[in-house]
Amino acid sequence: MNEQKHTVIEIAVTDLLKKAEEYHTKGHRLVQIGCTPLGDRYEINYTFTTAWDFESLRITVHDGDEIPSISGTYWGAFIYENEIHDLFGLSVTDMNIDFQGHLIETRVPTPFKNPPKVTIVSKGGDAQ
Amino acid sequence: MSYITKSPWIIHYDGSSCNGCDIEVLACLTPLYDLERFGIVNTGNPKHADVFLVTGGINEQSREVVKNTYDQMPDPKVVVAIGICATTGGVFRECYNIMGGVDKVIPVDVYVPGCAARPESIIDGVVRALGILEEKRTKMTEKGGK
Amino acid sequence: MSNQIVVPFGPQHPVLPEPIHLDLVLEDERVVEAVPTIGYVHRGLEKLVEKRDFKDYVLIAERICGICSFTHSVTYCNAIEHIMGIEVPPRAQFIRTIWMEYSRMHSHLLWLGLTADAMGFENLFMNAWRLREEILDDMEATTGGRVIQGSSKVGGIRLDIPDEKLGEMVDHLKSIRPLLEESNRIFTHDQTVRHRMRGLGVLSKEEAWDLGAVGPTARGSGCDMDVRSTGYSAYGELGFKPITFPHGDCLDRCLVRSEEVLAAVDLVERAVAKMPDGPIEEKVKGNPDGEYFAFSEQPRGECMHYVKANGKKNIVRHRVRTPTFTNIPPLVKMLAGIELADVPVVVLTIDPCIGCAER
């Protein structure tokens, strides 16, 4: 079985821009930005590579958090960041091309968003 | 008006198909299958077209485009839904963005099932549609004669 | 200073078999800026992982796109197989490789035809599509499907190709090889083609790398980038070298594809010569637990399937990054500065597959 090399590095949201710039100076290209909804949080992977040793920066965010855009460093990142905004309802700040939620229009707004917490109300009483 | 059955023009639009049926529609127009031998020409302009081929289910953004294209076509006109997605929504029927088959938006005259629909069945469907087109034309002239 | 006007291009447009919308900002006849809008074929099939179990989902993954269909299903299977540690038998790997190369041939011939059509070269369009039918015949004979095959599954493949059929396939390819070479010669030497494509929509090597171009779009700009070099499936045993061209214009992107058709013929011949015997599938037990990023080279470029699973029969997340999606930023750069009449040709040279891009 042929294993493709892939290292995942977990970082804080505040380090994202600095790290992305480091990769850019080292000559890495941006492979993809992908988001995974995990019930109460979201994982976002930023994948970079020079040849075939892939490296992913992973940040964890919650509903309502703001994510800084890396489109200042990688011009082409706008397409992924707009996608994350449209499908997951996360806000990305300072994108170079901002579609304002019109890149992908869906019947259900932000279909991949985590479901809201449900509070079960017991009969005849208010939720605690 | 018998020219319609001798030289019907078709227009094709991709509702939200995976391309499989689209390229089969195009394959119908190329040498091996050669729909053009029936006098059929593929046009991009809805106002020139008699037959509307739609592939793929209908989603939020394509709904308006399909409806618009249909409204712009002159009467009589026929609609052929190509592939199982255009017929019922197919494997994507449970997707959040799919409304279902083409008949949710515009009236459909011929359904061609298959995933992807084979060129032979597409040709069959188009030829069937030409019969319906002729019927519609006769009805229109009768109405106009009264 | 002349006035700027905005011309909408698409979604329903004669040269586009698929809907994509571009707002072209023009100064006289020249494009200053292009803003793409997609979403006309967005289905949301990544969400279906919640409703289908991971084995059935192969069929959905295949229907992301009807042209690179087989490659999508193999890439998804690769991801699941890596997570579960399934060793796919070598014969299955070789046959998968053969089908993947057949997809590449039919996809590139389809694209060469469409490009000829966009240039107004109707004869070349018909010729490319006639050759494509020869490829599809063997595809249909071995898998049962022309464009959607459904012959890959988690752990291997659904059906074997008998050895005598493999021999016939090679003979058939040998017989159409002169026709493919002839069609390539037209793309390389014909005055009409050169006139329309040389020096048009130039993307330099640095820009291609920086904007994340992949596949023939990047290789036409001189980037030596092809996931097949990593040797997934059987590519490692077949010996593989990427094809690159240096100029970064439309003609070079076209030549990469026409050369790759012949390279694919060679790869199939080598794969048949080295074909191992043995079983074609491995039993799959249990459910996947873990995550994996699987990369593969589709006809349109590097594609990634990310799968995250938690030991249940429905996986948690399936994310697909398709080549067209990442080729949109380079396309926006290419369109700036060209004339309006050249827009269809330039849009086609990234080989846009909107079904892939929007899923």
Side-chain angles (χ1 to χ4, degrees):
Chain A
M1 194 158 31
N2 185 292
E3 193 85 27
Q4 280 153 342
K5 274 187 210 156
H6 205 120
T7 330
V8 176
I9 307 157
E10 300 214 8
I11 57 160
V13 183
T14 41
D15 291 342
L16 178 65
L17 288 181
K18 202 179 74 202
K19 285 274 181 193
E21 231 154 84
E22 271 171 33
Y23 276 112
H24 191 254
T25 5
K26 281 193 282 180
H28 284 57
R29 75 184 159 93
L30 176 68
V31 177
Q32 66 106 19
I33 304 175
C35 186
T36 310
L38 290 170
D40 55 342
R41 60 188 198 281
Y42 302 88
E43 252 176 34
I44 306 183
N45 298 311
Y46 293 74
T47 312
F48 303 91
T49 183
T50 43
W52 304 113
D53 306 332
F54 296 96
E55 285 177 37
S56 280
L57 295 177
R58 174 169 292 170
I59 59 172
T60 307
V61 293
H62 298 89
D63 274 313
D65 285 3
E66 283 190 340
I67 306 154
S69 165
I70 64 161
S71 59
T73 319
Y74 286 96
W75 191 84
F78 72 88
I79 196 98
Y80 303 109
E81 290 174 345
N82 276 293
E83 187 192 29
I84 287 176
H85 172 265
D86 291 1
L87 297 183
F88 297 87
L90 295 167
S91 53
V92 185
T93 51
D94 301 322
M95 281 188 279
N96 54 359
I97 302 179
D98 194 342
F99 286 86
Q100 312 280 354
H102 295 293
L103 178 74
I104 300 177
E105 280 178 16
T106 50
R107 252 174 98 192
V108 188
T110 60
F112 284 87
K113 202 180 171 72
N114 284 326
K117 277 220 177 76
V118 181
T119 324
I120 298 167
V121 182
S122 57
K123 253 185 190 170
D126 292 329
Q128 299 289 306
Chain B
M1 285 265 289
S2 64
Y3 64 87
I4 290 186
T5 46
K6 293 206 179 107
S7 173
W9 284 25
I10 60 171
I11 182 168
H12 162 234
Y13 186 76
D14 170 356
S16 68
S17 128
C18 70
N19 276 351
C21 297
D22 301 316
I23 56 174
E24 294 295 51
V25 167
L26 272 178
C28 288
L29 297 162
T30 51
L32 188 68
Y33 298 100
D34 201 10
L35 259 184
E36 292 186 354
R37 71 197 139 108
F38 299 115
I40 290 172
V41 175
N42 187 16
T43 171
N45 188 335
K47 302 224 170 187
H48 295 177
D50 308 296
V51 183
F52 189 16
L53 308 183
V54 194
T55 50
I58 299 297
N59 74 2
E60 188 60 17
Q61 271 188 341
S62 67
R63 189 184 63 205
E64 281 299 305
V65 187
V66 168
K67 189 145 188 349
N68 247 330
T69 312
Y70 179 76
D71 288 343
Q72 284 179 34
M73 285 168 64
D75 282 322
K77 53 193 166 193
V78 283
V79 177
V80 186
I82 291 178
I84 197 68
C85 299
T87 309
T88 64
V91 289
F92 302 123
R93 67 191 178 280
E94 284 167 294
C95 287
Y96 57 83
N97 217 28
I98 296 286
M99 299 171 69
V102 180
D103 49 12
K104 298 260 185 218
V105 190
I106 54 173
V108 175
D109 298 283
V110 182
Y111 296 90
V112 179
C115 179
R118 298 180 54 85
E120 289 89 343
S121 40
I122 295 176
I123 293 174
D124 242 22
V126 172
V127 171
R128 193 68 69 84
L130 295 184
I132 297 173
L133 188 68
E134 180 61 24
E135 271 171 39
K136 283 191 178 176
R137 188 187 65 79
T138 325
K139 265 190 204 148
M140 264 178 74
T141 35
E142 276 169 10
K143 228 180 170 183
K146 269 177 195 169
Chain C
M1 206 195 118
S2 52
N3 286 331
Q4 288 195 340
I5 50 165
V6 180
V7 176
F9 178 82
Q12 197 270 323
H13 190 278
V15 300
L16 296 171
E18 299 173 90
I20 181 172
H21 178 85
L22 292 168
D23 277 323
L24 303 168
V25 182
L26 299 184
E27 229 171 66
D28 295 334
E29 283 294 296
R30 219 155 267 283
V31 178
V32 186
E33 200 192 349
V35 183
T37 309
I38 58 171
Y40 290 94
V41 289
H42 178 69
R43 290 152 279 173
L45 57 86
E46 286 171 4
K47 195 89 175 155
L48 277 184
V49 291
E50 293 167 8
K51 291 180 178 147
R52 299 274 175 278
D53 82 41
F54 74 99
K55 286 182 201 159
D56 292 349
Y57 191 78
V58 180
L59 297 174
I60 311 270
E62 181 156 17
R63 281 160 179 80
I64 291 170
C65 165
I67 309 175
C68 352
S69 45
F70 190 73
T71 327
H72 271 303
S73 59
V74 170
T75 318
Y76 172 78
C77 291
N78 275 344
I80 296 282
E81 284 152 8
H82 271 95
I83 294 174
M84 300 180 74
I86 300 167
E87 196 74 48
V88 178
R91 190 175 175 91
Q93 295 283 26
F94 270 72
I95 292 180
R96 277 181 181 181
T97 308
I98 289 178
W99 279 329
M100 280 195 272
E101 288 308 310
Y102 265 81
S103 312
R104 196 177 316 278
M105 285 185 250
H106 106 72
S107 170
H108 282 347
L109 285 168
L110 172 132
W111 179 85
L112 290 167
L114 287 179
T115 312
D117 188 44
M119 291 189 290
F121 202 154
E122 196 80 3
N123 281 2
L124 196 52
F125 165 52
M126 293 293 180
N127 188 44
W129 280 61
R130 201 187 61 208
L131 289 171
R132 177 176 168 263
E133 291 293 339
E134 306 265 348
I135 305 294
L136 287 181
D137 279 350
D138 272 338
M139 197 75 159
E140 190 178 2
T142 50
T143 66
R146 280 165 53 89
V147 291
I148 302 271
Q149 287 82 24
S151 47
S152 178
K153 68 181 203 179
V154 178
I157 47 175
R158 275 179 214 281
L159 24 92
D160 199 356
I161 309 181
D163 285 331
E164 57 268 34
K165 180 62 196 169
L166 287 169
E168 281 170 31
M169 282 158 78
V170 170
D171 291 342
H172 189 197
L173 287 177
K174 281 212 174 89
S175 71
I176 61 169
R177 198 187 169 103
L179 301 172
L180 293 170
E181 279 168 355
E182 170 69 18
S183 135
N184 279 5
R185 206 178 52 76
I186 301 174
F187 279 101
T188 335
H189 293 293
D190 189 88
Q191 197 58 38
T192 328
V193 177
R194 293 187 79 87
H195 178 71
R196 277 304 295 273
M197 309 229 269
R198 189 43 104 198
L200 178 68
V202 178
L203 188 72
S204 70
K205 190 175 178 180
E206 292 71 33
E207 280 176 331
W209 183 262
D210 209 40
L211 297 175
V214 294
T217 313
R219 291 198 287 279
S221 295
C223 296
D224 183 2
M225 197 164 106
D226 193 316
V227 191
R228 284 177 287 173
S229 327
T230 63
Y232 67 95
S233 290
Y235 289 111
E237 287 150 70
L238 296 178
F240 173 77
K241 239 181 112 228
I243 292 161
T244 58
F245 279 84
H247 299 98
D249 56 7
C250 288
L251 186 62
D252 275 11
R253 288 193 278 281
C254 174
L255 294 180
V256 168
R257 294 188 178 100
S258 62
E259 286 295 317
E260 278 187 1
V261 176
L262 293 177
V265 173
D266 291 341
L267 276 170
V268 171
E269 282 172 5
R270 285 208 291 277
V272 171
K274 285 190 172 178
M275 180 65 71
D277 281 327
I280 54 161
E281 60 169 305
E282 181 67 35
K283 269 248 150 37
V284 180
K285 282 192 201 112
N287 294 324
D289 188 3
E291 61 174 343
Y292 190 71
F293 296 81
F295 286 85
S296 70
E297 187 74 14
Q298 280 186 352
R300 287 163 182 73
E302 171 197 288
C303 168
M304 186 206 80
H305 281 236
Y306 168 68
V307 171
K308 192 179 179 83
N310 61 357
K312 299 218 175 77
K313 84 182 179 358
N314 293 41
I315 58 178
V316 175
R317 172 81 168 129
H318 174 228
R319 189 246 187 313
V320 190
R321 200 297 318 269
T322 54
T324 307
F325 198 68
T326 183
N327 274 335
I328 289 176
L331 173 67
V332 171
K333 267 275 146 75
M334 277 180 225
L335 285 171
I338 62 162
E339 283 178 347
L340 179 61
D342 286 327
V343 170
V345 176
V346 174
V347 171
L348 268 176
T349 54
I350 68 157
D351 200 352
C353 174
I354 312 301
C356 271
E358 298 173 7
R359 308 173 302 279

